[in-house]
Amino acid sequence: MSSVQISRRRILVDGEPSLVMAGEVHYFRLPRQEWAARLDLLVEVGCTCVASYIPWLWHELPDGTLDVTGRTRPERDVGAFIDLAAERGLTFLARPGPFVMAELKNEGLPYRLYREHPEIVPVGWDGQPAPTATVDYLAPAFLREVERWYDAILPVLAARSATRGGPVLGVQLDNEVGMLAWVSNSPDLTDHLVDDLRRWLRERPAGSTHERGAQEALVGVLDGDPQRWRDTVRTPPEELAADLRVDLGLFMRDRFARYLDTLALQVRASGLDGLPLFVNIHGTEGGNGVPFAIGVSQLYRSYAGMPGLVAGSDHYLGEMGRDATTDIHFVNAVMEAVNGADQPLTSLEFEAGTGDYDAGLERLYDGSTVDLKVRLHLAQGNRLINYYLLAGGLNPRLDEPVGDGNDRISFTGRRHGTAAPIGPEGQRGVTFSATREVTRAARLHARWLADHDEERDDVAVAFWPDAFLTEYTHPGSAAVREIVRDLEVHRGPGPRKALWRSWLFDGWRFGAVDVSDPTSEAPRVLGLACGEVLDGDVQTRLVEHVHGGGSLLLLGPVPTRDTRGRSCTVLGDALGVRGGRREVADPRRHHPSVRGTGPLADWTEMRVGWWQELTGPEGAVPLVESLDGTVCGLGVRHGAGRTVVLAAEVPGSPQLFTPVTEWLGAQRGTALSTDVPGVVATTSATPDGQRMLHLLNPTAYPATVRLTPGDPTGLLDAPLDMPARTGVILALGLDLPCGLRLESANAELTDLTEDALEVGAGLGATTELWLSGEAGTVRCADDAVQVSRDDGRWHVVAPDRRPVRLTAGPVT
């Protein structure tokens, strides 16, 4: 019997921190006789866990009965697949839906549900049919059907729970809840849901100024005819549209929480009560990671701080370059910002493979992509990574033909997972070896990666979830479109991702803070990218942060209204800063530029998309101005703190953002400098002080990197040569199983045993490492490698950057 718990942002297996490297293998897309071979390949990759969706659509038969034991087809025997995994020492992450997506028809729901229960099928804006296969999650008929499905599948999982000595370490609740309505901008406006919204608005406490809205604006409609209320929600008049947009989004957060709570209660009652329950967060869009925070905004009230619940990312960001690097860092940071103190970062759908999902030779991601993505996730503290999809397969035909062109379970045709490291027929794909190598590196460092935390500088990005409350926008409302556009342009990393990218690629170690949470603790410097729209509650908290001695970097125009379109100037009033006229670029006729002034006089002139004239209080420090001398960047002292307002659409520029951040009172702990912009450097430490340096070069150019990571030997203060598109984990004091402590090394560990260690090629002119400990001997079989004792430490130097293998012997 094992225990699987979450505590201190770690996954604890029998009380010990654990790093879970999983791969998604869909048993239902494989002939049963091939299950073992696919699992053997998963073991070869180095995974410790196998994950799989369990599609309701696959297990329900045309007569409505359910087969989860293989009585009708051997490929329906879920328990047998899990048992095969256990025989190989693998754990199992179960994903039983009810929605599973996975390119399945109806997103994995049986066709019967839509025929027998038309009331669960939503309409959207203006009463138009929903363009996706979504349903009303809390419709009574749907919940009854889900209960029936869970009653069939959950006992199979419970019998194999880790708490009973089995391999099942966790269960995912549904999948990508709320995603279908967001991507289609078509909320699930069934009569049942709209009537529930009416009740919710009537019963809801007044709450904050931000949360009040429809109770006041809609009082006549709320108390009137029920059909008039439904029509108003589906086709809101212009004077009510802005309030309804906000209140519908806030209501859906609450409704998603009730839905997932309903599923969690049933899962726990089935005998799976001792396991973590996972919530999969969508969703990147078109290779852009910023919209991922829409999923966080929709669902964080469902899981944040909830005992036993764990959120996981779901991202598809393409080849690893500077955009993808910025976006991955953003995804992990905003998830961490809303997580509770015990909830770890995980990735439930970690994009793996070539990216050629349609088998059309459109994409071929570089093999370094998976390596770099894994390393960045691990550096930021992810405890579980699930390669999706690790192994492809073949889509079986539906038992009951539906006449849709192929009658298969999936809309991808016969072959599925053509981009995966393991192809549909079981062949090793071109990314197989790269996936295997980075998984091996992760497992080699797992004893530290399972129990480390990123070390942070005194800075963080302010994450405002309601900036992403934009999933429902009535197309007929000009006011709503204008508010949403302001939010979309400025939120998160900022226009051109300038705030996030500038800090990340200049060596700042930072996360994010949820500024909508009054209990959240902020570091000295908060950076916030926003537009004219910023709610009063958040503005007030920012004022309190600065007045209490903190600092604020505001990238964007001075806020003037809230998300409901009402006037709101709390922040500007407190700082004494006013925004004036704007100069906006026109690609054909107008090309505004700005330059640094005063403390930023060395910052060179740069063209911008727009700038806004700023006026400030007496003593304000001009920092940025247009070429005619109009101030558009100001430094302001307020109370015990400082604020910088940069009211211009500037490009990513460490030469701007780092001096500004330092003026606000923060210093970089790693002081990164490099001849190739785009290198990422951060450090992490375990509770007992063992430390690692994480370096990534996602560019196509070799880089020379200088930094000060706090190396006790000074070795890593020397320039390091980072090859193009590579990442490394370097020791800054790691206790090894052979009894030695690796004080520092300019090469990554590649092997560890009870009496030996091995490192790869060094990043300097030589491969070099320092060891300490009581071992009697440290030897290398390579005569060219110098091993010497210096000041109580072992110093090892190998010429030509060659790999080194050392053996350590006891005192004799």
Side-chain angles (χ1 to χ4, degrees):
M1 181 176 294
S2 298
S3 67
V4 184
Q5 300 172 313
I6 58 170
S7 177
R8 300 181 296 110
R9 303 198 171 186
R10 284 137 174 84
I11 296 174
L12 303 180
V13 178
D14 292 333
E16 293 297 322
S18 178
L19 178 68
V20 180
M21 301 299 294
E24 185 92 6
V25 179
H26 292 159
Y27 66 92
F28 54 93
R29 286 180 161 128
L30 299 171
R32 182 161 173 171
Q33 62 269 25
E34 295 184 20
W35 286 356
R38 292 302 192 284
L39 292 173
D40 288 341
L41 286 172
L42 181 138
V43 171
E44 184 180 335
V45 167
C47 291
T48 59
C49 174
V50 59
S52 183
Y53 287 121
I54 304 174
W56 187 356
L57 172 65
W58 173 238
H59 290 278
E60 181 167 303
L61 307 179
D63 63 1
T65 60
L66 292 160
D67 176 11
V68 296
T69 61
R71 62 182 173 83
T72 59
R73 284 189 64 159
E75 291 78 17
R76 290 191 171 112
D77 191 346
V78 181
F81 181 75
I82 299 172
D83 293 341
L84 273 177
E87 289 174 10
R88 286 154 177 79
L90 297 166
T91 55
F92 185 75
L93 177 59
R95 309 175 77 192
F99 278 92
V100 298
M101 286 59 177
E103 294 76 50
L104 295 177
K105 293 170 183 175
N106 297 335
E107 314 298 346
L109 298 184
Y111 284 85
R112 177 187 60 81
L113 298 186
Y114 301 89
R115 293 194 305 265
E116 295 184 2
H117 306 291
E119 73 276 13
I120 73 174
V121 181
V123 295
W125 297 125
D126 304 318
Q128 295 300 307
T132 63
T134 185
V135 301
D136 178 352
Y137 292 112
L138 286 182
F142 180 64
L143 291 180
R144 287 194 298 270
E145 293 282 6
V146 171
E147 184 176 5
R148 179 172 164 272
W149 162 237
Y150 270 15
D151 283 344
I153 190 59
L154 294 182
V156 176
L157 304 177
R160 294 164 174 82
S161 169
T163 60
R164 301 183 183 183
V168 177
L169 63 78
V171 178
Q172 181 180 301
L173 303 174
D174 205 275
N175 189 56
E176 299 176 356
V177 173
M179 182 269 291
L180 295 171
W182 159 53
V183 296
S184 62
N185 186 31
S186 181
D188 302 335
L189 300 180
T190 62
D191 286 352
H192 179 261
L193 184 146
V194 176
D195 291 346
D196 191 22
L197 171 62
R198 187 185 199 189
R199 175 202 57 77
W200 183 83
L201 286 168
R202 282 173 166 168
E203 297 175 359
R204 190 175 187 214
S208 67
T209 302
H210 161 52
E211 292 173 340
R212 290 195 299 272
Q215 294 103 318
E216 301 167 0
L218 299 173
V219 60
V221 185
L222 280 170
D223 295 334
D225 177 64
Q227 189 56 48
R228 182 188 172 207
W229 165 249
R230 295 168 185 166
D231 293 341
T232 298
V233 173
R234 290 169 181 150
T235 309
E238 185 68 356
E239 67 273 15
L240 301 178
D243 272 318
L244 270 171
R245 181 193 74 83
V246 174
D247 285 303
L248 180 58
L250 296 174
F251 162 73
M252 290 304 295
R253 281 181 186 166
D254 175 77
R255 209 163 194 268
F256 293 148
R258 284 185 278 146
Y259 171 58
L260 288 171
D261 187 54
T262 299
L263 299 185
L265 286 172
Q266 188 168 352
V267 170
R268 287 169 171 151
S270 73
L272 292 158
D273 52 310
L275 299 182
L277 304 181
F278 290 84
V279 178
N280 194 21
I281 311 296
H282 56 276
T284 51
E285 182 180 36
N288 181 12
V290 179
F292 177 85
I294 293 175
V296 175
S297 169
Q298 287 180 295
L299 296 177
Y300 79 108
R301 295 293 191 193
S302 302
Y303 66 82
M306 301 295 181
L309 264 62
V310 181
S313 62
D314 177 337
H315 54 81
Y316 297 87
L317 294 167
E319 195 143 36
M320 189 67 159
R322 283 196 274 187
D323 263 348
T325 303
T326 305
D327 290 354
I328 286 173
H329 194 275
F330 170 78
V331 164
N332 286 320
V334 298
M335 287 183 65
E336 183 186 7
V338 300
N339 275 353
D342 285 328
Q343 292 174 313
L345 289 174
T346 72
S347 185
L348 292 169
E349 288 192 30
F350 182 99
E351 184 180 23
T354 65
D356 188 25
Y357 301 115
D358 294 326
L361 303 181
E362 284 96 355
R363 298 177 185 86
L364 187 64
Y365 297 162
D366 190 286
S368 64
T369 286
V370 67
D371 181 272
L372 291 162
K373 286 181 177 179
V374 169
R375 290 176 182 276
L376 184 52
H377 273 73
L378 295 175
Q380 290 184 267
N382 273 255
R383 315 299 184 186
L384 180 152
I385 290 175
N386 180 35
Y387 295 124
Y388 191 95
L389 192 62
L390 183 66
L394 305 176
N395 292 308
R397 292 189 181 276
L398 294 162
D399 287 319
E400 185 176 23
V402 293
D404 63 357
N406 63 25
D407 289 324
R408 294 191 180 274
I409 194 173
S410 171
F411 55 73
T412 57
R414 179 175 180 270
R415 301 176 79 235
H416 185 80
T418 54
I422 303 169
E425 292 77 26
Q427 66 273 36
R428 294 172 179 80
V430 294
T431 60
F432 182 88
S433 61
T435 307
R436 179 182 58 203
E437 291 309 306
V438 73
T439 306
R440 185 175 185 275
R443 290 189 62 184
L444 186 70
H445 292 82
R447 69 190 68 208
W448 304 292
L449 294 172
D451 195 31
H452 76 140
D453 295 291
E454 187 179 14
E455 297 176 312
R456 300 278 170 75
D457 297 319
D458 209 7
V459 298
V461 172
F463 174 54
W464 175 37
D466 286 3
F468 295 88
L469 197 73
T470 54
E471 64 270 33
Y472 309 123
T473 304
H474 189 272
S477 171
V480 167
R481 288 199 307 272
E482 199 274 331
I483 290 171
V484 168
R485 182 182 180 279
D486 180 83
L487 293 170
E488 290 177 339
V489 166
H490 297 281
R491 65 193 179 187
R496 303 175 71 175
K497 304 180 183 178
L499 171 60
W500 212 285
R501 203 190 312 269
S502 298
W503 273 357
L504 181 62
F505 293 146
D506 207 31
W508 291 96
R509 301 169 300 175
F510 65 98
V513 173
D514 177 8
V515 290
S516 70
D517 179 3
T519 67
S520 62
E521 296 183 9
R524 171 70 180 274
V525 177
L526 276 178
L528 173 64
C530 73
E532 294 180 354
V533 177
L534 185 64
D535 279 319
D537 297 339
V538 176
Q539 293 192 39
T540 298
R541 290 189 188 108
L542 295 175
V543 171
E544 292 170 349
H545 172 71
V546 175
H547 190 74
S551 294
L552 172 66
L553 170 53
L554 183 70
L555 177 62
V558 180
T560 57
R561 54 195 169 136
D562 66 14
T563 53
R564 299 178 187 274
R566 302 174 299 201
S567 175
C568 186
T569 59
V570 174
L571 182 59
D573 292 345
L575 299 175
V577 178
R578 293 284 182 273
R581 68 185 177 92
R582 277 201 192 192
E583 289 283 337
V584 181
D586 181 322
R588 295 170 297 173
R589 293 185 294 273
H590 192 56
H591 313 282
S593 289
V594 299
R595 62 193 171 199
T597 186
L600 293 183
D602 292 338
W603 185 58
T604 187
E605 174 192 327
M606 300 195 80
R607 185 167 63 90
V608 297
W610 59 265
W611 57 259
Q612 180 186 42
E613 180 181 12
L614 295 178
T615 57
E618 184 178 351
V621 180
L623 297 172
V624 180
E625 64 182 14
S626 69
L627 298 191
D628 66 5
T630 302
V631 174
C632 52
L634 273 177
V636 179
R637 294 174 177 85
H638 176 75
R642 292 184 173 191
T643 296
V644 167
V645 181
L646 295 178
E649 188 186 275
V650 295
S653 173
Q655 295 76 20
L656 168 63
F657 283 92
T658 287
V660 164
T661 308
E662 291 173 343
W663 187 85
L664 290 169
Q667 294 292 324
R668 293 176 297 167
T670 52
L672 170 70
S673 65
T674 174
D675 57 347
V676 177
V679 173
V680 175
T682 190
T683 58
S684 64
T686 62
D688 61 358
Q690 299 183 70
R691 300 179 66 235
M692 293 173 284
L693 168 64
H694 307 262
L695 271 179
L696 291 89
N697 179 8
T699 77
Y701 302 96
T704 300
V705 179
R706 292 177 178 269
L707 66 164
T708 53
D711 175 7
T713 70
L715 171 63
L716 299 184
D717 296 337
L720 300 173
D721 297 322
M722 280 291 294
R725 301 193 64 77
T726 58
V728 292
I729 300 172
L730 301 180
L732 285 172
L734 300 178
D735 294 335
L736 307 180
C738 61
L740 294 172
R741 183 177 179 88
L742 184 54
E743 298 286 358
S744 66
N746 67 0
E748 183 172 276
L749 285 165
T750 54
D751 194 20
L752 275 177
T753 68
E754 292 298 323
D755 59 3
L757 70 144
E758 181 180 273
V759 298
L763 300 183
T766 59
T767 301
E768 192 170 351
L769 56 155
W770 287 88
L771 296 150
S772 63
E774 297 303 321
T777 59
V778 173
R779 295 193 181 95
C780 181
D782 186 344
D783 292 338
V785 177
Q786 299 176 9
V787 180
S788 60
R789 189 81 165 165
D790 185 357
D791 194 25
R793 296 182 296 201
W794 297 96
H795 187 205
V796 181
V797 181
D800 305 322
R801 305 181 179 184
R802 68 178 65 187
V804 174
R805 185 171 184 86
L806 301 171
T807 57
V811 175
T812 58

